[in-house]
Amino acid sequence: MAMFFGESRYIEYKREVPKDSLKYMKSVVAFANGDGGQIIFGVEDNTEKVIGVPAETLFQTMDALTNAVTDSCEPMIIPNIMVREIDEKQIIIMEIMPGMERPYFIKSKGMINGTYIRTAGTTRPADQVILQELILEGRNKFFDQEPVWHGMVADYEIDALCRQLYEIALKNAKTAEQRQAVKRVTKNTLLSWGVLAERQHMVLPTNAYSMLTNTNGLPPLIQCAVFKTENRAIFVDRREITGTVQEQIEKALQYVLEKINMGARFHGIYREDVYELPPDSLRELIANAVVHRSYLEPAPIQIALFANRLEITSPGGLMRGVTVAKMKEGFSKIRNRALASAFAYMNIIEQWGSGIPRIMHECQKYGLPELEIIDLDGDMRVNLYRCTKAKTDQKTDQKTDQKTESNPILTDNEAAIWQILLQKPSCTQKEMAGILRWKPGKIKYHIRNLQAKGRIIRVGSHRKGYWQLVQPEK
């Protein structure tokens, strides 16, 4: 009976207990630095065949494993070791819990060379960036709340930032109640968020302050690009977005909105523009990439528009305890706490953890494929797939394959003009162009089509006349 299913992020197999403890100690510290895991002794790693551990030395082996782990790791790791019988053979399961005093490393190799992490089903050395992140986690610190010791900040600069955050919060408020709930921020507010830090009777800027003001070399830029097909073979356009983090979000959003298709729907005589992808979801996905990325990584966020999808890639993998499945259920863990507080205040992001489920629901309402979240082991990628069946024409906004309920034989553009004339037969072409936000030439073109179809007749002069509407035959 199959009991095992291959090595993974949380499982490692050993045919026997190696004499050289270093061969499994790397995985011990890797599990402690991650989400925990198990090393199973007595099972072949390639075939998952149960070999077993010799019964006569079973308890001696368990004691030796415990001593090796507690003696070899810093800070101390205490494993949970148990025995399980399968097919009348005993295997040893050594369980390592996720540690709280990171980074964990092998004493004999030192912190820099002896720290390991788990990636998929393999153990690898932690690079400098990951080591820094582990150190911050072990101190319960966040990169964005770390003070910039060489930076100086004056009271007038703090006041200017407070005013800017307040204005953005009011601008992004969607309801009167939300606007009323916006309170002015002060220096003390910024201190409580970690945007400012108080050290040795001095008020210092933090990395979050630098990102909110575009100072001290922060934040990194966002790279945006458009590709003609579903891969990166044919490049169409590129833009690098700079500025403060709040400016980058808006600029990146506007770039995407410029490049995606737009259609229209009409409510009476009024036209409503409709993007092929939901703008609120786009803004939140970009904001999530900015607030949850690892700023220890210098690489930029990349936003790429392909023929079939929008792809947002941000540096920094999933945080400990976070999985893609949990994210889709509303689980959230904050990597940059000061930025998250500022973004929530500015109404850029909403309640914690609700973003991904809300975006998935909005995509469903739009008729789009399910949002795709990919853990790239060091980067995070979100794919928002475009509706490839849409018939939207970007140049004319014309949907000739759809018919309006009020007039099934007219195109949408003709029906829009028809609705205007139904309400106001004397409406001029100039007035129609203003209502529909079309060029005069486009109005004239569709007026001629309506006349050719026999649906409208001009009565009187061009200046003082009106349009007589001809109802279709039933």
Side-chain angles (χ1 to χ4, degrees):
M1 181 174 63
M3 298 293 296
F4 305 105
F5 302 95
E7 292 188 331
S8 68
R9 184 176 178 178
Y10 308 103
I11 298 290
E12 182 168 299
Y13 301 123
K14 297 291 182 185
R15 177 186 174 92
E16 57 190 10
V17 178
K19 293 181 180 179
D20 181 2
S21 64
L22 191 62
K23 291 183 178 180
Y24 61 86
M25 208 60 66
K26 295 176 181 179
S27 295
V28 169
V29 297
F31 286 138
N33 284 324
D35 297 325
Q38 294 179 340
I39 303 176
I40 301 177
F41 299 95
V43 178
E44 284 188 336
D45 59 350
N46 293 325
T47 64
E48 289 87 53
K49 179 182 178 182
V50 176
I51 305 300
V53 176
E56 60 272 16
T57 59
L58 183 65
F59 295 107
Q60 182 182 348
T61 302
M62 292 171 63
D63 290 340
L65 286 171
T66 301
N67 292 334
V69 172
T70 55
D71 291 344
S72 301
C73 302
E74 183 74 30
M76 182 183 289
I77 297 173
I78 301 176
N80 179 24
I81 297 181
M82 62 199 90
V83 176
R84 183 176 179 182
E85 183 175 307
I86 298 176
D87 297 334
E88 298 182 350
K89 297 175 182 177
Q90 283 76 37
I91 62 171
I92 295 176
I93 301 175
M94 180 163 66
E95 184 177 30
I96 307 298
M97 301 302 293
M100 302 299 293
E101 300 180 70
R102 301 170 172 213
Y104 292 87
F105 56 93
I106 298 172
K107 285 182 187 179
S108 61
K109 295 172 71 70
M111 182 185 293
I112 294 176
N113 297 317
T115 302
Y116 293 84
I117 59 167
R118 193 74 174 168
T119 302
T122 62
T123 295
R124 66 179 177 87
D127 59 29
Q128 185 177 0
V129 169
I130 293 175
L131 181 58
Q132 285 180 275
E133 195 162 74
L134 290 171
I135 291 171
L136 286 173
E137 285 186 29
R139 293 164 50 201
N140 196 27
K141 299 290 184 181
F142 301 86
F143 171 81
D144 64 334
Q145 293 181 336
E146 290 293 288
V148 181
W149 288 96
H150 61 273
M152 298 294 293
V153 58
D155 284 343
Y156 76 88
E157 293 174 309
I158 295 173
D159 293 339
L161 176 59
C162 290
R163 285 194 301 272
Q164 184 190 65
L165 299 181
Y166 177 72
E167 290 166 3
I168 294 173
L170 290 176
K171 177 184 174 184
N172 290 336
K174 296 178 181 178
T175 64
E177 291 79 7
Q178 201 173 22
R179 285 178 62 87
Q180 192 173 6
V182 176
K183 307 300 181 185
R184 291 188 179 274
V185 293
T186 64
K187 179 194 288 187
N188 286 335
T189 310
L190 300 185
L191 284 166
S192 68
W193 290 348
V195 174
L196 296 174
E198 204 163 17
R199 299 288 189 276
Q200 300 174 4
H201 307 292
M202 294 187 301
V203 174
L204 297 172
T206 64
N207 290 320
Y209 179 92
S210 299
M211 288 186 273
L212 291 165
T213 57
N214 193 24
T215 54
N216 299 311
L218 289 171
L221 55 83
I222 295 178
Q223 290 180 338
C224 298
V226 178
F227 298 91
K228 191 171 183 64
T229 63
E230 296 181 8
N231 55 49
R232 298 176 186 263
I234 304 176
F235 177 81
V236 176
D237 186 61
R238 180 179 65 186
R239 189 177 301 173
E240 292 189 341
I241 308 294
T242 59
T244 65
V245 281
Q246 57 271 34
E247 290 170 344
Q248 287 187 3
I249 291 169
E250 291 305 315
K251 289 178 183 178
L253 173 64
Q254 290 308 311
Y255 179 84
V256 174
L257 294 180
E258 287 172 11
K259 303 302 180 183
I260 62 176
N261 296 325
M262 180 185 289
R265 58 173 171 246
F266 295 92
H267 303 281
I269 66 172
Y270 299 102
R271 168 194 171 99
E272 179 187 0
D273 291 329
V274 181
Y275 289 100
E276 63 167 309
L277 299 175
D280 287 346
S281 294
L282 291 174
R283 175 183 276 107
E284 187 142 13
L285 285 173
I286 295 170
N288 282 345
V290 170
V291 77
H292 291 301
R293 65 156 289 170
S294 170
Y295 285 98
L296 291 167
E297 292 273 6
I301 292 170
Q302 292 187 334
I303 301 175
L305 184 65
F306 297 89
N308 69 329
R309 70 191 185 280
L310 177 72
E311 182 182 280
I312 302 175
T313 307
S314 56
L318 291 173
M319 296 187 69
R320 181 170 61 87
V322 180
T323 64
V324 171
K326 286 182 178 179
M327 289 175 66
K328 290 183 176 181
E329 293 173 358
F331 183 81
S332 178
K333 198 166 184 179
I334 302 167
R335 180 177 258 123
N336 298 291
R337 185 162 292 184
L339 278 185
S341 297
F343 279 23
Y345 170 78
M346 290 185 285
N347 294 309
I348 294 175
I349 57 177
E350 297 188 26
Q351 305 132 338
W352 305 124
S354 65
I356 294 299
R358 187 170 56 253
I359 292 168
M360 293 176 68
H361 178 66
E362 191 167 8
C363 289
Q364 187 179 27
K365 285 172 58 180
Y366 250 67
L368 300 174
E370 184 177 346
L371 185 75
E372 184 178 33
I373 305 171
I374 305 171
D375 179 12
L376 299 175
D377 279 330
D379 289 329
M380 273 296 300
R381 177 169 293 167
V382 176
N383 288 328
L384 183 58
Y385 284 90
R386 307 169 77 172
C387 190
T388 56
K389 295 181 180 179
K391 301 293 183 182
T392 307
D393 186 327
Q394 202 168 6
K395 295 181 180 178
T396 64
D397 292 333
Q398 195 170 13
K399 298 179 182 177
T400 56
D401 62 319
Q402 296 179 4
K403 309 300 180 183
T404 62
E405 247 181 62
S406 61
N407 204 332
I409 66 172
L410 300 182
T411 67
D412 282 356
N413 288 339
E414 292 166 355
I417 294 175
W418 174 277
Q419 290 288 343
I420 292 173
L421 296 178
L422 190 65
Q423 301 292 327
K424 185 182 178 182
S426 62
C427 189
T428 67
Q429 293 186 21
K430 184 177 180 181
E431 289 172 334
M432 292 182 212
I435 293 171
L436 296 173
R437 290 184 283 173
W438 291 354
K439 292 181 179 179
K442 186 174 180 179
I443 296 291
K444 290 179 181 179
Y445 171 79
H446 292 296
I447 285 288
R448 286 197 299 268
N449 285 348
L450 286 167
Q451 287 178 297
K453 289 181 178 182
R455 298 306 307 277
I456 59 173
I457 300 172
R458 185 67 185 179
V459 178
S461 66
H462 288 292
R463 289 189 176 183
K464 297 184 179 179
Y466 64 93
W467 293 99
Q468 178 181 329
L469 277 63
V470 180
Q471 295 290 344
E473 293 182 5
K474 295 184 179 179

